[in-house]
Structure formats: structure tokens, C-alpha cells
């Protein structure tokens, strides 16, 4: 499917009024599993890419070329809409403009830009700081202007809740909507009342809620969040945390026992090959080698 078709369908789906449950993928393998399980969209987490590709915490170490490469690699294996976490846009408004153009060409369906000072920190870490409102708005305006496909979506995130309070975060999100943001994202609300207030106070624009397992935001059932009016319910790093636990469990058993077979806490060889669609490549090899 062509990118513009994916983007148009994603915009239509978000405008349906029913929430989309969206997991994060830090690499193409995770993206394929997300697709095969039947989710409707996926998210490329800057934190996830930083953790998996660099083995480092989410403290602003990842760069635009790295995110663009991951986006292109994931687009190669799935037709799902891809929402890409682009942190602060990697600079000022001009850099944001370049970031949007780069990631749209790489296959993104939406780009997330936030208002933290660079280098940014994970939204659920302490010690965050934000730029002034004028600079934050310039980033969103540049992102909106930069897109080539009118159905490419701009997600405007604010981390003001932790710095200036919840009301300030809502005010920033409302300003970003005025600047053309298609989706707004108030990061790290800490009470059920705050979560409920977000779609009430920002009606008319889809809202993203980010549920971080072990983070600052209370975990709530998807149906409850859907009924509140959220458009996107994000679990950015469940796949990563699940894989990390699986690695710990399997490798600890291997260290203890000195052996591992398919009865252990591992995916079977067959499941592994199915996950990467090996049968498809076998068919292509037979076709082009003349041995079919």
C-alpha cells in the first residue's frame, strides 16, 4: 500500500470517534509481531530505539538519521500507520521542518514533536524542562507547514504538566491545536481526574494518552479511556519490556542449566521464522531461481 493511502485511512480511522490501541516498536521484528497480532497502528518510541539500539537511557542520545533509518526499515515490513517520536524535532523550527520532511519520506504516517528543552528526557523521568511557549508553537507551526501529504498527521506533545502544572499543559495543547496540530498529547498526567479532564477540555481534536508500565500515569482499561474520548491509547514500550523480561528469563535458565531447547521459555524455531515471514522469501527465491 502507498504511504498516502495508509495516511488517509489512518486519519479517517482517528476521526471515527473510537480509540486506537497502539503499541510501540523499537525495531522491525517488533513491528512485524504487532502487525501479525492485529493492531491497527504502531509507534516508534525514541526511548525504545535508544534503549535497544544504543543500550542507553532516554536522555536525548538518539539522532534524526537513526530514527529515519528505523522508520524506513519498519515501513519495509508493514503497512500499518506509523507514528514516529521525533523528540524536540532535533533543533529549532527549521530543524523541525527538515525532520518532518525526512521522516515523511522514510514512511511515517505521523510525527510527534514535544516542547522540552534539548536534550530531552523521558516523559516519566524527573528533572524535565520546557521551552517557552513561543518557541514551542514555532515547532508545531513548522511541522504543519513541512508536510507534503495533507493526511500526514502532526502530534503535538507537551511536558508542561511536570514543570508548570496541569492547567498550563492544557493551555499549551490548546495553543498547539490553534497552530494546526492534528493530535495533542499531554504527557504524564498523574491522577485519574487529570486523565479524564484532557479530552473534556480539548474537545474536537483527538487526544493521545501514554500509559507507561511503571511510569507516572495510572494504568486504566482501554474501554474506559475510549469512553472518555481519547483517540490514541499508547503503550510505547510494552514490547520492549516484555522482550527484556523474556531475555532475562531465558538467559538466566541457560546460565543455570547450561542447555536450552524448545521446552524452555523461548519462541520455537518455527515461530521465529514465521515472525520474519520466511515462507514469503522462500517463494521469491524459488521464483527467481527458476526452481519453482
Amino acid at each position: 500500500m502507498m504511504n498516502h493511502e495508509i495516511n488517509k485511512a489512518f486519519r479517517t480511522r482517528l476521526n471515527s470517534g473510537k480509540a486506537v490501541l497502539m503499541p510501540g516498536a523499537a525495531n522491525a521484528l517488533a513491528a512485524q509481531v504487532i502487525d501479525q497480532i492485529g493492531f491497527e497502528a504502531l509507534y516508534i518510541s525514541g526511548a525504545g530505539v535508544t534503549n535497544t539500539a544504543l543500550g542507553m537511557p532516554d536522555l536525548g542520545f538518539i539522532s534524526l538519521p537513526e530514527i529515519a533509518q528505523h522508520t524506513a526499515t519498519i515501513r519495509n515490513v508493514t503497512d500499518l500507520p506509523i507514528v514516529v517520536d521525533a523528540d524536540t524535532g532535533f533543533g529549532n523550527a527549521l530543524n523541525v521542518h527538515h525532520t518532518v520532511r525526512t521522516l515523511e519520506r522514510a514512511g511515517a504516517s505521523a510525527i510527534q514533536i514535544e516542547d522540552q528543552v534539548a536534550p530531552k528526557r523521558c516523559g516519566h523521568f524527573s528533572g524535565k524542562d520546557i521551552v517557552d511557549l513561543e518557541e514551542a508553537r514555532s515547532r508545531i507551526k513548522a511541522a504543519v507547514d513541512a508536510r507534503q501529504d495533507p493526511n500526514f498527521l502532526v502530534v503535538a506533545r507537551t511536558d508542561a504538566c511536570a514543570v508548570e502544572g496541569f492547567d498550563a499543559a492544557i493551555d499549551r495543547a490548546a495553543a498547539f491545536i490553534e497552530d494546526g496540530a492534528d493530535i495533542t498529547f499531554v504527557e504524564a498526567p498523574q491522577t485519574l481526574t487529570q486523565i479524564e479532564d484532557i479530552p473534556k477540555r480539548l474537545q474536537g481534536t483527538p487526544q493521545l494518552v501514554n500509559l507507561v508500565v511503571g511510569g507516572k500515569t495510572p494504568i486504566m482499561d482501554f474501554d474506559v479511556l475510549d469512553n472518555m474520548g481519547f483517540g490514541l491509547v499508547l503503550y510505547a514500550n510494552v514490547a520492549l519490556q516484555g522482550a527484556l523480561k523474556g531475555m532475562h528469563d531465558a538467559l538466566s535458565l541457560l546460565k543455570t542449566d547450561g542447555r536450552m531447547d524448545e521446552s524452555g521459555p523461548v519462541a520455537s524455531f518455527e515461530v521465529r521464522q514465521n515472525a520474519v515471514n520466511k515462507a514469503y522469501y522462500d517463494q521469491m527465491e524459488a521464483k527467481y531461481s527458476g526452481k519453482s
Side-chain angles (χ1 to χ4, degrees):
M1 187 182 296
M2 300 295 291
N3 285 347
H4 67 88
E5 296 171 334
I6 296 170
N7 299 350
K8 183 177 180 180
F10 189 40
R11 181 183 284 275
T12 299
R13 174 64 180 84
L14 285 174
N15 288 336
S16 72
K18 301 297 290 181
V20 175
L21 181 60
M22 182 173 66
N27 53 46
L29 178 61
Q32 285 175 289
V33 174
I34 288 166
D35 193 336
Q36 291 165 4
I37 287 174
F39 286 95
E40 296 181 78
L42 64 86
Y43 177 87
I44 299 180
S45 159
V49 173
T50 303
N51 293 168
T52 57
L54 302 181
M56 299 172 73
D58 184 22
L59 294 171
F61 295 116
I62 209 74
S63 68
L64 175 58
E66 288 165 306
I67 288 291
Q69 179 61 55
H70 279 272
T71 303
T73 301
I74 289 172
R75 173 52 71 218
N76 188 54
V77 299
T78 181
D79 285 336
L80 289 179
I82 301 172
V83 180
V84 180
D85 175 7
D87 291 343
T88 62
F90 306 104
N92 62 15
L94 293 179
N95 298 112
V96 170
H97 193 282
H98 171 61
T99 293
V100 170
R101 290 285 176 92
T102 299
L103 293 176
E104 186 176 0
R105 286 195 298 268
S109 304
I111 185 171
Q112 176 191 303
I113 301 293
E114 66 192 55
D115 60 358
Q116 280 198 56
V117 170
K120 58 78 52 84
R121 304 172 69 84
C122 170
H124 291 251
F125 287 174
S126 299
K128 295 186 294 184
D129 199 4
I130 56 174
V131 298
D132 63 51
L133 181 58
E134 182 179 0
E135 182 175 347
R137 296 186 72 167
S138 74
R139 293 177 183 177
I140 303 308
K141 291 173 183 176
V144 170
D145 287 346
R147 60 185 168 192
Q148 302 288 281
D149 180 354
N151 288 308
F152 181 88
L153 302 175
V154 174
V155 182
R157 166 176 150 176
T158 177
D159 285 74
C161 194
V163 182
E164 297 180 351
F166 181 71
D167 287 338
I170 293 293
D171 290 343
R172 283 198 172 214
F176 297 155
I177 292 169
E178 290 180 6
D179 297 329
D182 303 287
I183 302 164
T184 53
F185 171 7
V186 176
E187 174 64 302
Q190 297 191 34
T191 69
L192 299 180
T193 299
Q194 288 179 349
I195 295 171
E196 189 174 16
D197 279 352
I198 292 169
K200 282 183 179 178
R201 295 176 62 177
L202 297 166
Q203 294 183 23
T205 299
Q207 300 300 311
L208 183 154
V209 59
N210 181 26
L211 301 180
V212 176
V213 176
K216 296 180 181 293
T217 300
I219 301 296
M220 302 179 68
D221 288 348
F222 172 78
D223 289 345
V224 173
L225 294 164
D226 184 15
N227 289 333
M228 284 181 180
F230 282 97
L232 286 168
V233 177
L234 171 63
Y235 279 86
N237 285 295
V238 162
L240 168 58
Q241 287 174 264
L244 184 58
K245 184 180 188 305
M247 284 191 281
H248 271 289
D249 290 350
L251 291 169
S252 295
L253 188 61
L254 176 62
K255 181 68 165 61
T256 300
D257 293 353
R259 58 165 292 166
M260 179 68 64
D261 57 33
E262 288 190 343
S263 68
V266 294
S268 68
F269 186 80
E270 180 181 3
V271 167
R272 176 183 158 204
Q273 302 312 319
N274 287 342
V276 295
N277 206 9
K278 183 176 181 296
Y280 168 75
Y281 293 97
D282 289 343
Q283 292 171 0
M284 282 207 302
E285 184 178 34
K287 175 182 177 181
Y288 296 124
S289 67
K291 296 179 182 179
S292 57

